[in-house]
Amino acid sequence: MNELVTGEAVALELQPARLPSRALAALLDLTVAVAVYVVVSIAFLVATASLDEAARMAVSIATFLLVLVGGPIAVETLSHGRSLGKAACGLRVVRDDGGPIRFRHALVRGALGVVEIVLTAGVVACVASLVSARGRRLGDVFAGTLVVRERVPVARTGVLPPPPPWLAGRFSGLDLSAVPDGLWLAVRQYLGRMSQLDPQVGWVMAERLAGDLAARTGVPVPEGVPSAAYLAAVVQERQVREARRAFGGGGGVGQPVAPPVVRDSAAAVPGSPPLGRPAVPVDQRPAERPATGFVPPA
């Protein structure tokens, strides 16, 4: 499988479609297009019977371009890469980064598809797909797209461990804008699989990733903080910011949402903090947090 990384540092394991499934999907699409073209051509031929030969030829060319060129482009644009044949075979056209295609992608694929598939009976497209490592024809190469399979088993990924409680909120002021997506992906993959690694190998990987992350943020790893715990805390901080930005929780970068404040003496209960001080929810008290696997510094 080919891993594609989105802007949220999420790895998408997309399997490129093989030539047989792509050929079957193209054959189904071409059959439907030709059937529509024949029907439309007959209708235009009857409607333009009174015109001269030049006008009828112009109508025939316009019909060809409209049905066999414009039709596939419109279908792929409106369906985000799922034509009738591709939907039947469980395929989809996506961008190189895994996102949905747009009109310009479908336009390039459709224009070159006339030469690759229609005019050469698919010979050029088959040769290009066999030569390409990911089975792309020329239209995909120039458009920056890829045909992938949708009906594939979803692989289970490891759950990222939470950071230790004593690091909660400690990195809320870090500037994470310079950290590339590739480094985020490497950190997430390490945290998800660190329990399966040899301790020595895992320690070396954590040190290297922590150093790279600290170099990108401009702030060194705090003294006494294990590299794995540092990575988990920074990743959680990024997830908190993304969730706050997505769901409108308020607060900018480095400004965590303040906990609720008890203002009315009638609302105070025995054992609650003094009035005007933040009330720590029960599920956030360090003593009741679940174990994380990270050991606090001595």
Side-chain angles (χ1 to χ4, degrees):
M1 289 189 179
N2 293 342
E3 283 193 349
L4 305 180
V5 183
T6 67
E8 292 76 22
V10 178
L12 302 178
E13 293 185 348
L14 301 180
Q15 182 175 357
R18 300 293 183 180
L19 180 59
S21 59
R22 293 194 59 176
L24 179 59
L27 180 61
L28 294 175
D29 290 335
L30 189 60
T31 301
V32 174
V34 169
V36 174
Y37 173 71
V38 170
V39 173
V40 174
S41 297
I42 294 176
F44 280 160
L45 184 62
V46 173
T48 59
S50 59
L51 300 179
D52 56 10
E53 187 67 23
R56 295 170 64 182
M57 181 63 65
V59 171
S60 299
I61 296 175
T63 304
F64 175 84
L65 295 176
L66 178 65
V67 177
L68 296 182
V69 180
I73 294 175
V75 170
E76 285 197 350
T77 302
L78 297 177
S79 63
H80 299 291
R82 294 191 71 198
S83 60
L84 294 177
K86 291 181 178 62
C89 297
L91 308 180
R92 179 188 290 271
V93 183
V94 297
R95 300 196 308 261
D96 281 339
D97 61 354
I101 65 172
R102 298 178 180 176
F103 172 73
R104 60 185 179 89
H105 303 98
L107 178 62
V108 175
R109 296 187 78 256
L112 292 179
V114 175
V115 179
E116 291 186 89
I117 300 176
V118 179
L119 299 183
T120 62
V123 175
V124 175
C126 291
V127 173
S129 298
L130 291 174
V131 173
S132 174
R134 296 193 290 179
R136 303 199 298 175
R137 62 179 178 88
L138 295 180
D140 293 315
V141 175
F142 285 99
T145 57
L146 176 68
V147 180
V148 298
R149 294 180 56 189
E150 287 189 310
R151 301 169 186 171
V152 293
V154 179
R156 294 188 177 183
T157 57
V159 179
L160 299 184
W166 46 273
L167 283 180
R170 185 167 178 177
F171 302 104
S172 59
L174 282 182
D175 182 10
L176 306 179
S177 59
V179 182
D181 292 337
L183 182 55
W184 285 122
L185 175 60
V187 172
R188 289 175 57 89
Q189 288 179 337
Y190 164 76
L191 292 175
R193 303 169 183 171
M194 66 178 184
S195 59
Q196 306 171 6
L197 300 175
D198 178 79
Q200 184 65 25
V201 175
W203 181 83
V204 173
M205 292 181 61
E207 288 286 326
R208 179 176 58 82
L209 292 174
D212 293 343
L213 192 57
R216 294 288 185 172
T217 60
V219 179
V221 180
E223 184 110 16
V225 176
S227 298
Y230 167 77
L231 295 174
V234 175
V235 168
Q236 187 189 60
E237 175 61 28
R238 183 175 189 268
Q239 292 174 341
V240 169
R241 295 182 188 181
E242 292 292 339
R244 188 180 301 144
R245 186 181 302 112
F247 299 103
V253 175
Q255 299 178 358
V257 180
V261 177
V262 179
R263 300 186 182 276
D264 189 355
S265 60
V269 295
S272 63
L275 296 180
R277 297 184 59 185
V280 180
V282 175
D283 58 349
Q284 294 184 7
R285 294 177 183 173
E288 300 181 8
R289 285 177 176 269
T292 62
F294 299 109
V295 180

